[in-house]
């Protein structure tokens, strides 16, 4: 199948067209966030504290797409605010970028109970929210973090272990973008070898953005204790 937003797997039912959402550009991101704050399209609405809309630079060239809000994100209403978010910031700093330079969103905007994996019908229900954000941000590079975002936006079933670090051109939000699959930072937190790979893949981001390469400093992150295996469906 072609890139998300153009085609979709058999058996997947179309969500309502995002173009039907009555919002304009620029301020439209805020308007869209407000419009989805009470979303009840899927069962995750029942257990969430709040919808976690994407956050960051509304004109970002680089957009990240993770999996779903976790405990801290659900409480604070922002994506990537826990350990994984801190690692993401360090990786960005390592290539000369700040968190404020990029836009960060997730495949799902509401926390799955117990941080379980997103279900196909939940992804289907929420995907138009993600595609609308891509339309409004107009990034040139979309970096997918982990399996769920990579499979959704590439439109291919290949797992992140196979495709990380391999950019591909695809169409998202009506625009041609460079899709760049990466390991999820939460997975790399518990696996030093994966962290090395993630750093190496991150090092190519400036090149993909058409910028000069920036030397990467040595990571200073301490590994944190791994959560239960069922919460690690990230790779
Ligand atoms: S996960 Fe997405 S589709 Fe489901 S209720 Fe939340 S915002 Fe709506």
């Amino acid at each position: 199948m072609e890139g998300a937003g153009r085609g979709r797997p058999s058996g997947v039912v179309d969500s309502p067209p995002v173009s039907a959402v009555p919002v304009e550009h620029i301020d439209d991101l805020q308007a869209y966030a407000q419009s989805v704050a009470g979303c009840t399209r899927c069962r995750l609405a029942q257990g969430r504290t709040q919808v976690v809309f994407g956050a960051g630079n509304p004109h970002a060239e680089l957009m990240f797409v993770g999996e779903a809000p976790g405990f801290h994100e659900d409480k604070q209403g922002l994506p990537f605010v826990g350990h994984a978010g801190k690692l993401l910031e360090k990786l960005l700093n390592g290539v000369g970028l700040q968190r404020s330079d990029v836009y960060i969103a997730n495949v799902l905007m509401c926390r799955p109970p117990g941080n379980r994996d997103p279900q196909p019908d939940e992804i289907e229900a929420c995907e138009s929210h993600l595609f609308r954000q891509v339309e409004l941000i107009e990034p040139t590079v979309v970096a997918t973090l982990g399996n769920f975002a990579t499979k959704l936006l590439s439109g291919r079933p290949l797992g992140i272990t196979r495709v990380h670090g391999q950019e591909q051109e695809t169409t998202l939000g009506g625009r041609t973008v460079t899709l760049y699959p990466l390991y999820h930072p939460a997975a790399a937190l518990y696996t030093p070898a994966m962290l090395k790979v993630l750093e190496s893949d991150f090092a190519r981001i400036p090149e993909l953005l058409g910028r000069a390469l920036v030397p990467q400093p040595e990571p200073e992150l301490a590994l944190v204790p791994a959560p239960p295996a069922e919460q690690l469906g990230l790779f």
Side-chain angles (χ1 to χ4, degrees), residues 12 42 46 65 92 122-123 142 148 160 172 196 200 210 228 230:
V12 173
C42 82
Q46 295 160 19
V65 181
L92 283 168
E122 295 162 358
I123 294 172
V142 176
F148 288 96
I160 190 64
L172 294 178
K196 283 283 176 205
S200 171
E230 64 270 16

Side-chain angles (χ1 to χ4, degrees), residues 39-42 44-45 48 51 109-110 125-126 129:
C39 179
T40 55
R41 277 190 199 170
C42 82
L44 296 180
R48 74 184 179 216
V51 168
M109 290 190 178
C110 301
C126 209
H129 294 326

Side-chain angles (χ1 to χ4, degrees), residues 16 40 57 70 75 82 99 109 169 178 196-197 208:
T40 55
N57 185 338
K75 294 293 177 219
R99 184 178 173 122
M109 290 190 178
E169 298 297 308
T178 300
K196 283 283 176 205
V197 174
L208 297 176

